Amino acid sequence: MLKTYDVVCVGGGPGGFSAAIAAARMGRKTLLVERNSYLGGMASTGLGLRMNARVLEPGGSIQRAFIQHMKRRDGWGEPMTFAGQVAYVPVNPELVKLVMLQMCEEAGVELLFSCVPIAAEVAQGRLKQATFYGKGTSVCIGADIFVDATGDGDLADLAGAQSVSGRAQPAMLLFSVCNVDVERLRACVQSDPGGDGVREVCEGRCFEGFERLLAQARKNASAPLAARFMRCFCSAEKGRMIIAASCAPDTDATDPRSRSAGVESASLQALELYLAMRKGFPGFENCRLSGVSQLLGVRESRCFLCRARAGIVSPEESSVARFAAKAGPDAVYGVPLGALLTRDLEGLVLSGRCIATAPEASHTVRSMSACMVIGEAAGVYAALSSPRRQDPVSADEVYAALCHMR
């Protein structure tokens, strides 16, 4: 089969669904391709949203609409703040899937589920079409421009875009447990602060550390435990906590064998941690395993060589997305348009964590809130682009369109 579109977005997570909606709202015939049978990516795993990027103008209209939809349906929990900045929001994962789907439907986005890119056709330095595989069938799709929001940059890599490996941050597999006696945990921490290396954060809604308890767990575990530090977040449901400790530090997310080994190792660690928590972690004695993330949480994989990099910018520098930086109250991380465009390939724009980012900005730029805003900018750029256009799309044009969408 061969179909053609104005814009094809690959990857239905925060950076892909927002790109598709932005392009469709600007009147472009848009297709969104997703490897799962639902939208949301890591945002729909049931283990909360990382929202540690404070969005500055002009972007974020699609993100704000998403949050409003979630709040109206009682699917948005109370945000947790660290050092005055929102870092984590408990959400209803099933509503994430349905709200994103509904928003795509309302915008007129066509959807193709259960498909992954397996080939790309490039002619005269421009990506012309891509082949997707799903359910034993290959689907060939052409587009004026493609948006790669796969996280690992799978389509860009297939098309030959240059990249380097980025694996400084370990992959992690989150899991959740229910029937936790949070009040007992909090009372133990308050009666003996630091006694087990546990620290209370966000007024008892998050606990971190657990260094001494983890050290004891490593001695008794039947499988290796890589974790030296654990963080537990309270979820939207009483007594249910999300556990961040099961990691796979040597995983190459772009290699299927390495990724499989990482999933296997992290899953076995999750089991060992769960058993250890029931045996000796205060408040967790009667806990029950309630969920394991369907997706390995990858922070870094391919880093593409682009025309610019996201990082700290001055107020006058042109950016298609801007976020508050940790460097100071007036510091700003800016995403120049060139950070979304590879050096050597036309007909493709990057979205999400695979854009080019300076090391100091990567923690902020890869968060879910940032990915939604970057995706919106990528979708606007894609909508404005055309192989028949004589002059390139400028950052000022994207900025003006984002202001209009706001």
Side-chain angles (χ1 to χ4, degrees):
M1 294 186 291
L2 174 61
K3 298 190 72 174
T4 59
Y5 295 84
D6 298 325
V7 178
V8 172
C9 301
V10 187
F17 108 99
S18 56
I21 289 174
R25 285 181 177 177
M26 294 183 68
R28 301 300 184 264
K29 183 182 179 184
T30 304
L31 174 71
L32 177 58
V33 184
E34 165 57 34
R35 62 177 175 173
N36 297 310
S37 58
Y38 54 86
L39 299 178
M42 290 299 299
S44 62
T45 61
L47 303 174
L49 269 61
R50 297 291 294 181
M51 303 291 286
N52 55 302
R54 184 160 65 86
V55 179
L56 306 177
E57 300 296 348
S61 65
I62 293 173
Q63 181 195 91
R64 287 191 293 273
F66 168 74
I67 293 173
Q68 289 169 2
H69 278 296
M70 292 293 293
K71 286 182 175 179
R72 282 201 301 268
R73 292 159 175 80
D74 199 26
W76 190 263
E78 184 181 350
M80 296 183 192
T81 58
F82 296 82
Q85 186 179 45
V86 173
Y88 169 83
V89 180
V91 296
N92 183 310
E94 305 310 317
L95 271 175
V96 170
K97 300 173 186 176
L98 298 179
V99 164
M100 287 189 176
L101 177 64
Q102 184 182 48
M103 290 178 67
C104 285
E105 288 283 330
E106 291 174 347
V109 176
E110 188 175 328
L111 297 164
L112 180 63
F113 288 115
S114 304
C115 283
V116 295
I118 58 171
E121 181 182 318
V122 177
Q124 298 179 331
R126 187 178 188 90
L127 178 58
K128 294 287 189 179
Q129 63 184 43
T131 302
F132 299 89
Y133 180 82
K135 304 303 292 181
T137 300
S138 295
V139 183
C140 196
I141 298 172
D144 287 348
I145 188 165
F146 291 83
V147 179
D148 188 331
T150 60
D152 297 322
D154 294 334
L155 180 60
D157 184 67
L158 287 168
Q162 297 182 54
S163 66
V164 295
S165 176
R167 280 186 284 157
Q169 296 290 325
M172 182 170 285
L173 191 74
L174 304 184
F175 66 97
S176 64
V177 292
C178 61
N179 202 35
V180 179
D181 189 340
V182 180
E183 292 306 316
R184 168 168 156 68
L185 172 60
R186 190 179 189 189
C188 288
V189 173
Q190 290 177 344
S191 64
D192 186 16
D196 287 317
V198 186
R199 297 173 291 279
E200 180 183 339
V201 186
C202 294
E203 299 180 344
R205 299 174 62 225
C206 177
F207 299 86
E208 63 181 20
F210 296 86
E211 290 92 348
R212 295 180 187 176
L213 291 169
L214 287 170
Q216 185 62 41
R218 283 194 297 275
K219 294 179 182 179
N220 301 326
S222 58
L225 283 178
R228 299 293 191 273
F229 176 91
M230 186 169 86
R231 180 172 283 161
C232 305
F233 300 95
C234 289
S235 75
E237 296 82 28
K238 184 178 180 180
R240 181 172 175 267
M241 299 197 80
I242 286 75
I243 314 300
S246 180
C247 60
D250 298 321
T251 300
D252 179 356
T254 65
D255 179 89
R257 291 183 181 275
S258 178
R259 191 171 189 131
S260 296
V263 170
E264 181 179 357
S265 172
S267 299
L268 292 175
Q269 288 179 58
L271 177 59
E272 292 293 336
L273 284 167
Y274 166 62
L275 296 175
M277 290 160 67
R278 284 173 55 84
K279 289 180 180 178
F281 286 36
F284 291 90
E285 294 90 345
N286 297 310
C287 73
R288 296 288 185 271
L289 186 67
S290 63
V292 180
S293 175
Q294 305 102 312
L295 302 173
L296 186 68
V298 177
R299 294 181 174 96
E300 293 179 297
S301 53
R302 296 188 183 97
C303 301
F304 287 92
L305 304 182
C306 293
R307 302 168 198 181
R309 291 198 307 176
I312 292 180
V313 296
S314 61
E316 63 273 9
E317 288 185 74
S318 177
S319 302
V320 296
R322 298 169 75 86
F323 312 100
K326 294 182 178 181
D330 299 321
V332 172
Y333 290 137
V335 181
L337 181 59
L340 280 61
L341 306 175
T342 63
R343 293 179 184 176
D344 47 7
L345 193 63
E346 299 293 334
L348 176 72
V349 56
L350 304 177
S351 177
R353 65 175 171 83
C354 63
I355 71 167
T357 308
E360 68 272 11
S362 63
H363 178 73
T364 296
V365 171
R366 70 167 179 257
S367 73
M368 296 178 188
S369 51
C371 286
M372 285 190 195
V373 177
I374 293 167
E376 186 175 346
V380 166
Y381 173 85
L384 293 170
S385 299
S386 168
R388 296 170 293 281
R389 181 177 167 140
Q390 298 301 311
D391 55 322
V393 177
S394 69
D396 288 341
E397 286 182 88
V398 176
Y399 187 92
L402 288 169
C403 288
H404 180 72
M405 292 180 72
R406 181 182 61 192

